[in-house]
Amino acid sequence: MQLVQRSKRVLEAHLAGTSVRALSGSMVAYEGQVTFKSAGFGGGAGVVAGLKQKATGESLSLMECTGQGVVYFAHDAAEVSILDLNGEALQVESEQLMLLAGNLSTNVTFAGVRGASSGQGLFTTTVSGHGQVALLSRGGPLIHLEVSPQYPLVVDPDAFVCARGQLTQSFDTDVSWRTMVGQGSGEAFSLRWAGTGVVSIQPAER
């Protein structure tokens, strides 16, 4: 199975008796003998996945594409990037995840509590194993930012796409910069990443 970047917004999956899991509705064309079926939710399979989705709001509806041929994927004219995973874990916003290829598993994990006053929980989708992940980016290509112990990174949660490496996440409520850009209403927070790794963001906010 091979993923090919057809253009910055279209991805090809070359199937040779193999399968890929993709975001439901992202298939735009295919050639050859390919079958499609529901692959459940990104949090796992069956009833447990459905309960996680309902409890967390982190929804990831997938379809499985199997057979011989080429399948073309795109979604809402967003740009597509391919990341290779070699046994590490990737934390990703579920709505940015378009395709999973290889021996990869997904789960919904608890990311922390949003603000001391609200106590609202935040959740993220984790992808782990060996294979390739296709991610969506709006407003332009993904921007990959290095994180080092000397230089922690603070990002807007509406721009965050994914993170990988030896990273810890916390929440920063010192968001005076949001007031300066007219986003001071409500309970604002930012995501702070510390350690060693890479955080990817998109140019457009959700």
Side-chain angles (χ1 to χ4, degrees):
M1 215 294 301
Q2 182 182 10
L3 296 183
V4 177
Q5 194 93 40
R6 175 77 174 190
S7 71
K8 62 183 180 180
R9 294 185 175 89
V10 180
L11 189 69
E12 295 180 10
H14 292 239
L15 304 179
T18 50
S19 63
V20 296
R21 287 175 292 161
L23 181 67
S24 295
S26 62
M27 189 278 293
V28 293
Y30 74 93
E31 303 167 345
Q33 301 297 317
V34 182
T35 60
F36 304 88
K37 67 177 183 179
S38 172
F41 301 105
V47 175
V48 173
L51 291 175
K52 280 188 176 182
Q53 182 192 38
K54 184 175 181 180
T56 65
E58 189 78 355
S59 59
L60 177 59
S61 179
L62 299 174
M63 61 179 178
E64 184 175 330
C65 315
T66 306
Q68 298 273 353
V70 180
V71 187
Y72 302 88
F73 298 95
H75 186 68
D76 287 345
E79 297 205 19
V80 183
S81 299
I82 301 173
L83 295 183
D84 295 312
L85 293 185
N86 296 299
E88 70 267 44
L90 179 75
Q91 296 183 52
V92 60
E93 283 289 327
S94 63
E95 62 187 84
Q96 310 296 133
L97 186 57
M98 187 175 76
L99 190 143
L100 301 165
N103 187 20
L104 297 172
S105 61
T106 60
N107 196 14
V108 176
T109 57
F110 181 61
V113 175
R114 172 182 173 177
S117 61
S118 71
Q120 178 183 354
L122 293 179
F123 298 83
T124 187
T125 297
T126 301
V127 182
S128 57
H130 295 265
Q132 292 179 298
V133 179
L135 300 174
L136 298 168
S137 175
R138 292 170 177 81
L142 283 179
I143 301 168
H144 305 291
L145 303 174
E146 296 279 345
V147 183
S148 67
Q150 296 80 13
Y151 297 100
L153 178 70
V154 178
V155 302
D156 187 327
D158 289 329
F160 171 74
V161 175
C162 67
R164 61 175 168 171
Q166 301 302 313
L167 295 171
T168 58
Q169 176 192 299
S170 59
F171 297 95
D172 190 348
T173 56
D174 181 15
V175 287
S176 56
W177 60 269
R178 276 184 175 270
T179 303
M180 298 302 293
V181 296
Q183 297 182 6
S185 61
E187 186 177 8
F189 72 101
S190 298
L191 299 177
R192 177 181 291 271
W193 299 90
T196 303
V198 177
V199 173
S200 301
I201 62 173
Q202 63 179 2
E205 295 182 344
R206 285 182 289 275

